[in-house]
Amino acid sequence: MRNYTRLLDILDRVENGPIIDETEFDRKLLPAKLKELQRELDIRYDRQSSILLDDALADRLFEAGLRLATDVGVLCTSTGRRITFTRQEILDALEFAPQELIIGRGLDRCTVRKRQVEDRVPPGVVGGPIGQTLPEELFLPIMQSYAQEPIVDTIINGTLLTVYNREPKTHSPWEVLVAWHEAELSKTAVNRAGRPGLAIGCVETSPSEIGEISASSYGGFSPYDWHQVAMVSELKTNYALLAKIAHLVRTGCIIHTFYNPIFGGYAGGAEGVAITAVAGIMLMQMVYMTTTHSICPTHPFFESDTAPEIVWAISAAQQAINRNTHLLTDVLVSPVGGPCTKVLLYETAVITAAITVSGTSRVFAVRSTAGKYQGYSSGLEARFSGEVGQSVAGMSRREADEIVKRLIPKYVDYLDKEPKGKRFDEAYDMHTLRPTPEWQSIYEEVKEELRKIGIPFKK
Amino acid sequence: MVISANAILASLAQAIMDGDEQRGRDLAQQALGAGLSPSNIFEECITPTLQQIGDKFKRLEIFLPEMMLSADVVKGITRVLEPVIFKEKGSVPSQGKVVIGTAQGDVHDIGKNMVATMLEVSGFKVYNLGVDVSTAAFLSKAREVRADIIAISSLLTTSTPFMKDVISFLEGARERNEYRVVVGGGPVTREWAQRIGADGYGKDAAEAVSVCRELVGSKKRG
């Protein structure tokens, strides 16, 4: 595995790093350091642009993230110690990190590549409602609806609501069973879609370590799938998450890590979220020995990532990382809208456009209703996101910014309205697994609108 | 130089806004020295200032660290005023007592801390149990402090069954009527809250505060 850091060294630091009280870390160390860096490096959110347009600011943001990562590190809440690294260790690790990943098997494998800011090559498409709970009876058709979309390169699972109609509990035998059920159902979904080698993002129904470790053993998910580990907001980990890492390292699995700074929380506003996101990506590389990294800064009231401040923070953090490293970076699209709403498509277009021109390797499409409503997601939104990415790739940030600025007003008043739309079984024909005429015509109507404001869809 | 009572209260309000605990305590002492009663200080300064802070947070003009610092200043001021309040009334008035925590198996705490802090700045006495809180721990703390409300947060679907457990255990112990149970968090919906028999649901920190106010009011009436 091509990583600079090594598991034993990380675990030694977990056991021997500087001791700190969690409250001190949350309320003093992190906010104070963020304020200092914002001031010193002049990191300012400019409301005039929705996407960061300033290369010098992107580079200062990279420096701010690097200093935050060095000065704060990651808090392991199980040991009450910070896992810290020197600036040079982080720079060496970034230099050494993989810039390409082959994922999946046989004819269904694909290559994840590093992208540049304003790259002409479109981002890859990860299809799936990661973070949304799916009713057991809808899990298979929903996941199949993503897997069957030709534009989707890999899928990522939603979370199962029940297992054999029982509610699973964290860190219980139920978690083991539900994790295995996720493996069975998602493998069936890719097989039914005729793409048996498609890599599956897993184990989503594994809040503690036991679901991941159990369902990634013989007969379950394989090393060819890609395995998700979270960094807890803000900049925290624990034994359960590190146990997943230990298992994945020893079994040679592909590790994907994600971090979702909370807007308005300890990270503060747009600037703080952007700095924390940059530091988080670096620290996931260090602590989790990860190959791909995703972020989804989250609104504290809407739980989405499509509020204007967050769109800017995402674009800024992505540019900071993608201009200065060759890391494989992903972003999750998390709109408040659900299937059969125009809002969902406008929000999806905004995030997809912003990250495509900011150099993101892959778009995670889409956590509809910001994951709030069970089964309110469908493969069509992944297709739409992929098409936006293909059409926007090669645009300048300024061109994309003009489009985004025209789209945000179309949804911003709905952010607190929970426009959940329709559940999958009302948005799709359950026999053919195709969008209903209603959902299809909304999709086509919005594409037509977007064409008129400058998104050159190929079809 | 004699500083007027109004000037002291204005400076006190600013100290709360600035999160300056030492200055807050000093000014509270000065306010008492100037002849203001604790209820004057609360009614004319602390309550409206906290209201402003809560409103600013709702509009995201300030963020969690600033709001927490302001809540700390008020705790410091309350400690200065407490002896006088006890002397006058025998107890420190509050909107109600809330035991709050993140459900078992879940370590996410930012959303829950936003609710806890908003409750504090709204005048509730808050007992924040942290994350990964067992059903037994919720019940034991609620009994110990004679809470009005048990508030449970979860960001993980697989931790939401533990919310239901808290209600079942209260029913089993024939204590269901003693406490109001409020739930919230990422995967929690109003429908789910109703389905498990919770008394209230807050979709965000602001709604959680108004629900708690309403529930404490109905508990007192009922």
Side-chain angles (χ1 to χ4, degrees):
Chain A
M1 126 188 262
R2 188 178 166 84
N3 282 96
Y4 186 79
T5 48
R6 286 289 170 264
L7 181 61
L8 282 175
D9 175 48
I10 297 299
L11 295 181
D12 283 341
R13 294 182 199 223
V14 165
E15 303 299 338
N16 299 299
I19 294 170
I20 188 166
D21 177 67
E22 190 172 357
T23 309
E24 177 88 9
F25 183 88
D26 287 339
R27 295 180 54 181
K28 294 194 175 152
L29 180 64
L30 179 65
K33 185 52 70 178
L34 278 169
K35 272 191 182 162
E36 178 192 316
L37 290 167
Q38 279 176 55
R39 198 175 45 244
E40 197 181 318
L41 294 166
D42 193 24
I43 309 292
R44 262 186 283 183
Y45 166 41
D46 168 17
R47 289 175 186 275
Q48 300 307 309
S49 61
S50 299
I51 296 172
L52 179 65
L53 303 175
D54 179 348
D55 285 346
L57 177 52
D59 293 346
R60 292 201 303 280
L61 184 57
F62 177 80
E63 174 63 23
L66 180 57
R67 285 204 216 166
L68 186 72
T70 309
D71 293 348
V72 171
V74 174
L75 173 65
C76 176
T77 52
S78 304
T79 59
R81 291 176 186 270
R82 286 190 294 132
I83 310 163
T84 56
F85 304 93
T86 64
R87 181 185 176 91
Q88 196 55 49
E89 282 176 323
I90 295 174
L91 288 172
D92 287 346
L94 296 177
E95 183 69 31
F96 196 76
Q99 52 187 319
E100 192 174 284
L101 167 71
I102 295 169
I103 191 167
R105 278 177 290 185
L107 297 174
D108 297 313
R109 71 185 183 278
C110 72
T111 306
V112 183
R113 289 192 178 88
K114 187 250 178 318
R115 289 182 70 249
Q116 306 283 353
V117 173
E118 298 181 1
D119 205 309
R120 288 185 176 280
V121 177
V125 182
V126 177
I130 175 178
Q132 184 179 103
T133 308
L134 308 182
E136 197 172 350
E137 70 279 11
L138 290 182
F139 188 94
L140 177 50
I142 289 177
M143 290 316 304
Q144 191 179 335
S145 80
Y146 288 93
Q148 72 189 8
E149 290 294 338
I151 206 166
V152 163
D153 303 308
T154 51
I155 62 163
I156 187 153
N157 285 333
T159 305
L160 269 163
L161 176 64
T162 54
V163 53
Y164 313 122
N165 217 22
R166 277 86 154 179
E167 286 170 349
K169 284 178 168 174
T170 306
H171 214 267
S172 73
W174 298 106
E175 184 179 326
V176 173
L177 285 184
V178 77
W180 274 96
H181 205 37
E182 180 190 319
E184 290 153 5
L185 291 174
S186 53
K187 285 179 172 193
T188 306
V190 295
N191 283 328
R192 284 195 188 175
R195 303 176 77 183
L198 210 60
I200 301 171
C202 59
V203 178
E204 290 307 318
T205 323
S206 176
S208 83
E209 71 280 24
I210 61 173
E212 171 69 54
I213 291 173
S214 177
S216 297
S217 52
Y218 182 75
F221 289 111
S222 76
Y224 298 100
D225 295 310
W226 49 299
H227 299 254
Q228 319 279 309
V229 183
M231 176 179 278
V232 178
S233 303
E234 304 301 343
L235 304 179
K236 293 181 197 174
T237 189
N238 55 43
Y239 273 161
L241 296 166
L242 290 163
K244 286 188 187 185
I245 294 293
H247 172 76
L248 296 173
V249 168
R250 289 308 306 260
T251 50
C253 287
I254 298 164
I255 301 174
H256 171 85
T257 55
F258 62 96
Y259 171 50
N260 305 337
I262 310 295
F263 179 62
Y266 299 117
E271 300 90 341
V273 165
I275 299 172
T276 315
V278 172
I281 291 170
M282 292 174 183
L283 289 165
M284 289 193 289
Q285 182 66 39
M286 303 302 293
V287 176
Y288 287 164
M289 293 148 277
T290 184
T291 303
T292 51
H293 326 62
S294 67
I295 56 166
C296 176
T298 301
H299 194 280
F301 307 143
F302 316 143
E303 291 159 35
S304 61
D305 65 0
T306 58
E309 300 88 343
I310 299 179
V311 174
W312 180 88
I314 290 173
S315 78
Q318 287 293 299
Q319 289 175 42
I321 289 286
N322 295 325
R323 278 176 56 77
N324 292 284
T325 75
H326 56 251
L327 296 183
L328 301 171
T329 58
D330 307 331
V331 172
L332 168 60
V333 181
S334 182
V336 297
C340 293
T341 68
K342 285 186 173 185
V343 172
L344 162 64
L345 300 176
Y346 296 139
E347 293 177 275
T348 298
V350 161
I351 292 287
T352 307
I355 63 174
T356 297
V357 297
S358 297
T360 301
S361 295
R362 293 185 301 177
V363 52
F364 277 37
V366 171
R367 183 170 67 188
S368 309
T369 73
K372 185 91 183 165
Y373 286 92
Q374 295 160 0
Y376 281 73
S377 52
S378 74
L380 186 62
E381 45 260 42
R383 184 197 309 172
F384 177 79
S385 174
E387 288 172 340
V388 171
Q390 286 188 342
S391 310
V392 168
M395 269 186 194
S396 69
R397 280 166 287 176
R398 198 165 288 284
E399 286 172 298
D401 186 52
E402 289 305 317
I403 292 169
V404 165
K405 277 200 282 205
R406 292 178 68 175
L407 287 175
I408 287 177
K410 289 178 181 282
Y411 68 74
V412 79
D413 290 340
Y414 293 93
L415 289 175
D416 62 350
K417 308 281 189 305
E418 299 190 353
K420 65 180 179 180
K422 294 191 170 170
R423 207 169 80 147
F424 180 78
D425 46 355
E426 296 171 308
Y428 264 53
D429 179 322
M430 293 299 284
H431 297 291
T432 62
L433 279 195
R434 298 287 163 200
T436 58
E438 180 196 7
W439 189 202
Q440 182 72 27
S441 78
I442 292 169
Y443 154 81
E444 282 164 11
E445 205 179 310
V446 171
K447 274 181 75 174
E448 200 46 47
E449 271 183 67
L450 266 52
R451 258 190 207 104
K452 287 179 184 155
I453 62 168
I455 298 188
F457 288 110
K458 291 184 182 70
K459 56 178 181 178
Chain B
M1 188 180 72
V2 180
I3 305 170
S4 74
N6 281 345
I8 295 172
L9 292 183
S11 302
L12 186 60
Q14 196 56 52
I16 297 171
M17 288 280 192
D18 295 344
D20 188 338
E21 192 175 343
Q22 184 58 52
R23 189 163 158 71
R25 282 201 304 265
D26 292 347
L27 285 161
Q29 203 68 60
Q30 276 187 45
L32 289 174
L36 288 165
S37 70
S39 40
N40 284 148
I41 298 169
F42 267 98
E43 282 163 24
E44 289 171 33
C45 175
I46 297 175
T47 307
T49 307
L50 289 177
Q51 177 73 42
Q52 275 184 49
I53 288 166
D55 289 345
K56 279 187 169 193
F57 180 69
K58 278 189 235 169
R59 295 192 297 269
L60 290 170
E61 291 167 8
I62 59 165
F63 306 120
L64 184 60
E66 289 95 323
M67 189 166 66
M68 286 180 131
L69 283 175
S70 295
D72 286 348
V73 180
V74 172
K75 279 185 207 160
I77 294 170
T78 308
R79 276 194 292 276
V80 172
L81 302 180
E82 256 171 6
V84 184
I85 301 172
F86 270 114
K87 220 166 160 183
E88 284 177 0
K89 300 190 174 170
S91 66
V92 180
S94 91
Q95 292 273 344
K97 292 178 192 165
V98 182
V99 167
I100 190 168
T102 305
Q104 188 170 328
D106 189 349
V107 298
H108 295 91
D109 68 351
I110 297 182
K112 180 263 301 169
N113 285 347
M114 284 180 181
V115 175
T117 311
M118 280 285 276
L119 286 167
E120 275 181 348
V121 301
S122 305
F124 286 86
K125 177 80 181 159
V126 176
Y127 300 87
N128 189 341
L129 304 186
V131 297
D132 193 11
V133 180
S134 68
T135 302
F138 273 116
L139 266 55
S140 148
K141 192 68 184 177
R143 287 171 185 141
E144 178 197 325
V145 302
R146 304 182 69 179
D148 297 294
I149 290 173
I150 299 173
I152 317 168
S153 160
S154 177
L155 199 64
L156 301 175
T157 320
T158 45
S159 282
T160 55
F162 292 110
M163 294 174 164
K164 200 164 64 176
D165 280 358
V166 170
I167 294 172
S168 306
F169 275 55
L170 286 172
E171 283 165 352
R174 297 178 190 277
E175 292 175 81
R176 183 66 187 89
N177 293 331
E178 303 296 313
Y179 311 100
R180 301 288 187 258
V181 178
V182 178
V183 295
V188 181
T189 60
R190 211 172 293 281
E191 293 74 33
W192 158 261
Q194 279 166 358
R195 192 147 65 81
I196 65 167
D199 301 296
Y201 159 78
K203 82 175 164 67
D204 54 38
E207 191 180 70
V209 171
S210 50
V211 165
C212 287
R213 274 206 189 107
E214 211 172 282
L215 288 173
V216 169
S218 69
K219 194 178 173 207
K220 281 176 183 161
R221 288 194 299 273

